[in-house]
Amino acid sequence: MSNWSDTSITASLPASLTGFVKLGVTTANGSDTINVMASAGGAVSGMTISGVTNSASGQAGAVAPGELISIYGTGLGPASGVPFTLDPATGGVGTTLGGTRVLFGTVAAPITYASAGQINAVVPYEMAGQSQVTIEVQYQSGSASQTVQIASAAPGAYTLNSSGSGQAAALNQDHTINAPSNPAAKGAYVTIYFTGGGQTNPAGVTGSVAGAVLKWLTQPISVTVGNQPATVTFDGSAPTFVDGLDQLNIQLSPNTPPGTQAVVITVGGVSSPSTATISVQ
């Protein structure tokens, strides 16, 4: 975490939360906010699950322990979306929100947003070692379920437009938000936010918030920017956020090509889609 000692990353919780998570960035240059997931809403009837995706990339497929996911469907929760609050008794994210519960087998998942059309939840770390699991959503007297595959990792980078494509939610070495109008220099350090990195050491705890003790990913990780390998200086849980929201600190290769370049994160042999980008001088 060297070179980042004067950066403070904080969560914007209850009332100000308009989606899955906001990254409130306080630096020596001032404050800014990165929105990394838009909210859904709208009243719907019936109860079905139409899809389960990585909350960052929007990609369907196998899910990983600790991954932040989005569940889409109808009748999954209240018509008006409900953002989470931290449980004052445990300091973690609760497993019931707006009357909605999500079970992975018999294990209740932390829920960070619940609405009729979308739920945002965290895959319990207890899923490690399993090959598949049935997700069951319960709301009022109804329920709906879908079986998903379990992988050790399923990385996806957050993007500023919340779509999984385009400019990544990333900070330059001077702690300003990376953008085409504010690109990173070749050889500079960049911080990227993602999910699906899998288990950490010390071990991630389902629903807990990462504290002062850094939690590093346990699986091998590599990153390329513009097809050039970057040097990873930190990979693990993002401090002050729910376990499963991951942070990468990388140093760009001096050979990184200029312009808008694809970022690919590979954890334990599983790669993120090449749809998220950062800007390079």
Side-chain angles (χ1 to χ4, degrees):
M1 291 284 286
S2 60
N3 302 305
W4 308 99
S5 58
D6 57 345
T7 300
S8 173
I9 306 296
T10 58
S12 180
L13 296 176
S16 61
L17 189 71
T18 57
F20 194 90
V21 68
K22 288 186 175 183
L23 303 180
V25 182
T26 303
T27 75
N29 299 319
S31 299
D32 212 331
T33 299
I34 300 175
N35 300 294
V36 293
M37 176 58 73
S39 60
V44 291
S45 60
M47 191 167 189
T48 63
I49 296 176
S50 60
V52 178
T53 69
N54 180 293
S55 73
S57 68
Q59 297 289 307
V63 301
E67 181 184 349
L68 281 62
I69 62 168
S70 294
I71 303 170
Y72 297 98
T74 59
L76 302 176
S80 297
V82 181
F84 77 105
T85 59
L86 294 180
D87 185 332
T90 65
V93 178
T95 56
T96 300
L97 185 62
T100 296
R101 297 184 75 222
V102 178
L103 299 176
F104 282 69
T106 61
V107 182
I111 304 174
T112 63
Y113 180 80
S115 73
Q118 177 179 340
I119 299 168
N120 295 328
V122 184
V123 178
Y125 283 101
E126 290 84 347
M127 296 303 101
Q130 299 191 36
S131 60
Q132 66 178 32
V133 67
T134 297
I135 299 175
E136 180 184 5
V137 176
Q138 300 175 345
Y139 178 64
Q140 296 180 345
S141 60
S143 68
S145 62
Q146 180 171 312
T147 298
V148 297
Q149 303 300 306
I150 304 293
S152 61
Y158 285 101
T159 59
L160 295 183
N161 64 11
S162 307
S163 71
S165 297
Q167 178 64 50
L171 300 177
N172 290 333
Q173 184 168 325
D174 63 358
H175 316 307
T176 58
I177 295 174
N178 180 270
S181 60
N182 189 37
K186 297 178 182 182
Y189 291 87
V190 177
T191 295
I192 301 170
Y193 295 93
F194 73 109
T195 192
Q199 187 54 273
T200 59
N201 182 27
V205 177
T206 300
S208 69
V209 174
V213 177
L214 295 180
K215 296 182 177 181
W216 295 72
L217 297 180
T218 59
Q219 299 176 82
I221 186 167
S222 62
V223 180
T224 61
V225 178
N227 292 318
Q228 292 295 314
T231 301
V232 177
T233 59
F234 174 74
D235 57 275
S237 295
T240 78
F241 287 96
V242 62
D243 277 359
L245 176 61
D246 298 321
Q247 176 178 328
L248 274 174
N249 292 346
I250 63 172
Q251 184 179 20
L252 298 177
S253 166
N255 298 319
T256 307
T260 299
Q261 302 298 335
V263 177
V264 177
I265 303 166
T266 301
V267 183
V270 180
S271 296
S272 66
S274 58
T275 51
T277 62
I278 66 170
S279 299
V280 182
Q281 289 180 3

